[in-house]
Structures are given as C-alpha cells and as structure tokens.
Amino acid sequence: MSSKLERVLRVFSSSLFFSNAAQRTTSLRQLHFFGSAQQDQKFYLNVQDMDDIQEDITKGMQELKFEAMALSFPQEIVHEILLRLPVKSLIKCTSVCKAWRSMIMNKRFTRAHLSQINNVNDRHLFLVHRVSGRESSTSGHRAIVSKVTEEVYSLHYDNQAFDEYAKIEFPIAPKQEVLNEHLRVVGTCNGLVCLADDMFCYCYNFFIWNPAIRKLVTLPGPAITFRTHGGYDASIGFGFDANTNDYKVVRVVTLQHEGVGPTLAEIYSLATGSWTSVGSVTPSCQLSRASQAFVNGALHWPALRRTDYGSNYFILTFEVGSTLFREIRVPKSLIKYNYHLGLWLSISGDGKSIALFTMDNRCEDSFLEIWMMKEYGMEESWTKLITLGPQGPERLLPRASCFRKNGEVLLILSGARVAFSMGSILSNQYTFYGHRAKSNHELVSLDLVSKTIKNLGISGEGYQYCNVDSYKESLVLSDQTDAVSY
C-alpha cells in the first residue's frame, strides 16, 4: 500500500472516532477492532476537512484500486463513518464505489443521516432569497418585484458573523415555466424548499427543491383552479408527516362566491405524487399567503374570520398526520381586525412553539411587535417580547423574518418610508418605478435581552425583495424517481 493512500485512510477513518493527534496516528489495521463502543463518541468532520480528505482520496484512487480496499472495511463501520459526513462530502463519496453509493442513496440511510444532522447545532443554516428589479410595489407587507434584473439564493451559517456558506444555483428550466417574475419560498423542511408561483397572480406551478443535492420535483397542477371553481384566494403550507415519512404541500383555498365563500383544502403527497381533496375547512376563513410555520407536526397560518359582528384574527392549524384543522387564538389585543395590521408567523428559536410578528404599515406611525407563545397550545402564554419603531437616522422600518437558535430575531430593515413618499397611495398599496425602485435593505440581528441590534454585513441595497428561512442540508430527494437533477 502506498504511504499516501494509507495516510488518507487513517484520516478518513480514525479521525472520526478520536479527537487528539496521538490517537489519530493509529494504524489502519486497528480500525477493524474499534467496535460499537467507539461509535457513540460524538466527533464530527467539517466541510473543509472533508474537502481536503476527498482530494487526497481521489489522488490515491489513481494509484490503487480503492474500491477493493473500501469493500474490505466492515460495513457497519463504513456506515457509521458516512453518517457523520456533511451532505457535500457524501455526494462525493457516492463516486467511490457502487457499494457506498447504494448505501448512501438508501432511504433508511437518508432518514438516519437527517436524524444525525438535527442533533448537530453547527450545521444549522439560513436560506436568504433576494430579488431586484426595475419596478416594484408593496401590498400590505409583501414586496412584489417586476422586470427582475437579479435573483440570488445563498446559504449562511447561523453564527455571530452570519458567514456565507454557499451561493445556490437555481435550475433554469422552471424559470421558463413560471408566470410571475420570481418564485416565493413557502417554507423549508428537512433540507427541502417549497416554492410557489404566486407572488402577484395565482398560478398552478409549485416545486419541491433540494439545493444541496441539486434536485427538483415539479408538482402536478392542483384540482381547485379558476376554471373549475371561479374566483378564489389561496395559501400554501409545507410540512412533514412523521407517521408515513412523507412530505406534503397543503393548499387552503377560500372561494369568492358573492363575497367570502367556503374554504376548501387539498394535499399533495411527495410519496404518491398526487393531490387529494380534504374537503371543507371549518370555519371558513381567509389566509395570508405570505407566511406559514410548521412546528410540532402541524402547519400554522394567520387567518381572518368574518362574522356578523365584524372580522377577527386567529391562527388556523393543520395537523399533517391526522389531516385535522384546528384553531389557536391570537393575543387578546390582536383579535379584532385592523386594516393597517399585518400578521406574520414564525417558529420559536428552540423549534418547539410559534411566534407572531405584527406590523402596522402606516409609514407615519409604523411599529413592529414580537409575540411568543411560551407554552405551545396554551393561549394564555402569549407574551409580548418587544415593540420597535423606525430605526436609525434613515428611519428604516423593521420587518421580522425568523428566530435564530440563540433566541435572537433576524430583522430586515427597509427604507419603505422613502419609497412610500415617492409613490402613489392607493388601497393600502404603494408603487414606485425606475431608479426609485432601489431600496435600502439591511439584514440585522435583534438581541431581545439587551435590546440591541447588530448589523450582519449583508447589504440589500438594490434589492426590493428579501426573505430568510431556516435551513439544514439533507439527502432527501436523492432516491426520488420523479426528481430532476440539474
């Protein structure tokens, strides 16, 4: 055996189980005697380490037949080694030999690897989606960009510096099929991103995307459409059914029959590749298409219910496993409908409950409130954490995006006050064109304890649309037969 290949195999195997330099010099033959007692030690390799190792492995393979060497390892040890590797390295390892590829592409391995990732805090990322264009408008709390000039997806570490992990290439083909200027990120779940073609006008294009392994599933058209049911308002949710190990897209549609009609729902199953009707939703309501939160096996949307005594806000929930709709009350001070108030749902920092962001969009008197349900399902546990007004000398308006693992909140500071003064106010909407469409967005982190704001160094200048979602890389879709690679 060449000294180079022996060195590579030592690092590749022994460093997984041992943490100090002396132990990592153990000979390759000792690998066979480590046993299950060593497999419980928590030691993980970062992406850079594995990139270096993979480069050496590739060179070693050119000198010797590495496949025969790989097959000589006990499979249970190889399995434990591979489970601890990041997705980027696993994709490279599928090229080592057929046995490794078969192991990595197996559904059981995908589930086990996902469970391993969920227990490693330093692999938590954020997906940032930014769009710029020559024209844009804002309705309520949604920015709508037209004549798009640039669209950027990037991943960032959830650390103090918010370092960029990678820029993401989006497949070109779906862009040629969509009707809106750009897609909207509905939500993320276990490394998958759900995208909807519904930023301005309703269309029937939906996608499930895994950027880590560069695979995309295009969903078939839903059953409820304008042609079949007439006018409607719709919202989308994306979550995971742990009972069946299936990912589902939930579409809640309120028909516009002489005002607000019945509310219907349909579910797309990634496992079956088809839509199924759930029937009527009680109570009939209108949902915000801009936000959803998937937590504790249920999807959550801000909703509005009309009664004989006025309209009230509440949170509509859908348990993905049991397919049951329920409702959660919002804080008492927010129940009554307010034309100027926008509601945005998020997941708490620990992932166990929900948070509610409310914003008054009148630019002369704007504010942001952040609420947390301290005990999930306990409506009396709603707690207001902070109220913010316009920030800094430029009077930038804060819009909350999501919670970080450390409990801080990611905010997008937007120069909407300037934009508003340049536009025409019409039905709670403002529009601005040409160079005036350029806005000043800054991504910042709010410490709720010290009440301080830290600039993360990600300038949104020139971008009219910015969205941030929690993300973790995974192998999901690697064995999906209808997933297209790009």
Side-chain angles (χ1 to χ4, degrees):
M1 181 187 301
S2 71
S3 60
K4 176 181 288 186
L5 183 55
E6 184 174 2
R7 179 177 62 84
V8 169
L9 292 176
R10 281 179 185 157
V11 176
F12 185 64
S13 56
S14 302
S15 64
L16 181 65
F17 300 105
F18 301 113
S19 59
N20 62 60
Q23 289 173 316
R24 282 199 296 269
T25 61
T26 303
S27 69
L28 178 62
R29 287 177 298 177
Q30 290 178 307
L31 176 63
H32 296 271
F33 302 101
F34 287 152
S36 58
Q38 302 292 343
Q39 296 176 10
D40 294 332
Q41 295 192 28
K42 296 184 178 178
F43 184 89
Y44 304 97
L45 301 179
N46 60 42
V47 175
Q48 185 60 52
D49 289 338
M50 285 314 304
D51 283 346
D52 295 338
I53 293 169
Q54 181 61 35
E55 183 179 352
D56 284 344
I57 288 176
T58 303
K59 293 178 181 178
M61 288 172 60
Q62 295 172 357
E63 300 178 8
L64 294 175
K65 293 181 179 180
F66 183 72
E67 182 169 355
M69 185 67 64
L71 292 174
S72 70
F73 289 151
Q75 290 301 293
E76 63 274 14
I77 294 181
V78 173
H79 185 271
E80 290 300 319
I81 291 173
L82 295 177
L83 272 181
R84 287 162 168 78
L85 303 185
V87 171
K88 183 179 179 181
S89 299
L90 283 173
I91 296 302
K92 294 180 180 180
C93 285
T94 60
S95 302
V96 171
C97 63
K98 292 180 180 179
W100 284 19
R101 178 178 177 81
S102 177
M103 182 184 296
I104 294 169
M105 302 295 281
N106 183 276
K107 286 186 177 181
R108 290 184 179 178
F109 183 88
T110 297
R111 290 196 292 268
H113 185 261
L114 183 61
S115 177
Q116 187 90 357
I117 289 175
N118 288 333
N119 294 325
V120 183
N121 291 328
D122 62 359
R123 293 190 190 172
H124 186 257
L125 304 168
F126 281 107
L127 174 66
V128 180
H129 180 205
R130 289 172 288 174
V131 182
S132 64
R134 289 189 292 271
E135 296 180 3
S136 69
S137 62
T138 300
S139 180
H141 299 280
R142 291 190 309 113
I144 301 168
V145 182
S146 57
K147 298 183 180 179
V148 172
T149 57
E150 185 179 13
E151 185 173 6
V152 178
Y153 292 90
S154 58
L155 290 174
H156 296 259
Y157 290 104
D158 186 12
N159 57 18
Q160 287 297 321
F162 209 74
D163 299 318
E164 182 174 286
Y165 172 66
K167 279 193 167 59
I168 302 174
E169 179 187 352
F170 188 78
I172 297 175
K175 290 185 177 181
Q176 299 170 348
E177 302 170 3
V178 300
L179 297 181
N180 287 275
E181 290 279 349
H182 64 91
L183 298 173
R184 177 176 68 90
V185 176
V186 174
T188 63
C189 182
N190 291 344
L192 299 183
V193 183
C194 180
L195 301 167
D197 184 13
D198 64 355
M199 281 303 300
F200 182 71
C201 58
Y202 285 115
C203 305
Y204 312 117
N205 299 313
F206 306 101
F207 307 93
I208 296 177
W209 175 37
N210 187 331
I213 61 173
R214 297 166 61 87
K215 286 205 170 188
L216 183 85
V217 173
T218 301
L219 277 58
I224 304 173
T225 66
F226 182 83
R227 178 172 293 181
T228 59
H229 291 75
Y232 66 87
D233 198 10
S235 188
I236 309 295
F238 180 56
F240 176 66
D241 183 352
N243 296 329
T244 59
N245 194 44
D246 190 12
Y247 295 86
K248 296 181 178 179
V249 176
V250 182
R251 188 167 179 253
V252 182
V253 183
T254 301
L255 304 180
Q256 304 296 338
H257 292 170
E258 298 179 357
V260 178
T263 301
L264 309 176
E266 53 186 343
I267 302 175
Y268 170 82
S269 163
L270 183 62
T272 64
S274 60
W275 292 88
T276 303
S277 174
V278 183
S280 297
V281 178
T282 303
S284 179
C285 57
Q286 288 184 299
L287 273 63
S288 166
R289 85 177 79 166
S291 79
Q292 62 112 65
F294 179 69
V295 62
N296 295 331
L299 287 163
H300 303 70
W301 300 272
L304 183 65
R305 171 172 43 214
R306 300 187 186 277
T307 68
D308 294 337
Y309 306 100
S311 298
N312 297 325
Y313 292 115
F314 70 102
I315 296 172
L316 181 70
T317 74
F318 178 75
E319 296 177 2
V320 177
S322 64
T323 66
L324 292 177
F325 283 95
R326 305 183 189 277
E327 62 178 279
I328 295 176
R329 291 183 182 180
V330 298
K332 291 182 179 180
S333 62
L334 302 176
I335 291 178
K336 189 174 180 180
Y337 171 67
N338 180 345
Y339 174 77
H340 299 286
L341 196 66
L343 274 62
W344 185 279
L345 271 175
S346 182
I347 305 171
S348 61
D350 61 8
K352 297 179 181 179
S353 191
I354 56 175
L356 183 62
F357 308 139
T358 65
M359 180 176 173
D360 188 317
N361 58 13
R362 290 172 293 182
C363 282
E364 69 276 6
D365 190 25
S366 296
F367 65 85
L368 167 70
E369 292 181 347
I370 299 177
W371 294 77
M372 174 78 75
M373 179 174 272
K374 295 287 189 178
E375 297 291 333
Y376 180 77
M378 304 293 290
E379 296 166 354
E380 61 273 16
S381 71
W382 278 115
T383 304
K384 186 194 293 187
L385 302 180
I386 198 170
T387 300
L388 294 174
Q391 300 294 303
E394 296 181 0
R395 307 291 288 167
L396 299 180
L397 306 180
R399 178 172 69 83
S401 185
C402 57
F403 271 81
R404 307 179 69 177
K405 285 295 183 182
N406 61 6
E408 295 183 5
V409 182
L410 288 179
L411 301 179
I412 298 172
L413 299 183
S414 172
R417 177 181 297 274
V418 178
F420 204 105
S421 65
M422 294 187 296
S424 58
I425 303 174
L426 177 64
S427 183
N428 196 32
Q429 189 176 68
Y430 57 90
T431 306
F432 42 102
Y433 304 96
H435 294 293
R436 290 178 296 175
K438 236 180 186 181
S439 59
N440 183 17
H441 286 144
E442 293 291 340
L443 191 60
V444 300
S445 187
L446 169 66
D447 187 326
L448 292 169
V449 177
S450 65
K451 305 294 191 296
T452 57
I453 290 178
K454 176 185 177 182
N455 195 312
L456 296 175
I458 299 177
S459 174
E461 184 175 356
Y463 293 98
Q464 291 80 42
Y465 175 87
C466 183
N467 187 77
V468 184
D469 285 275
S470 176
Y471 185 77
K472 279 197 174 185
E473 292 183 317
S474 79
L475 293 167
V476 182
L477 292 189
S478 60
D479 61 343
Q480 188 76 21
T481 56
D482 59 343
V484 177
S485 300
Y486 63 95

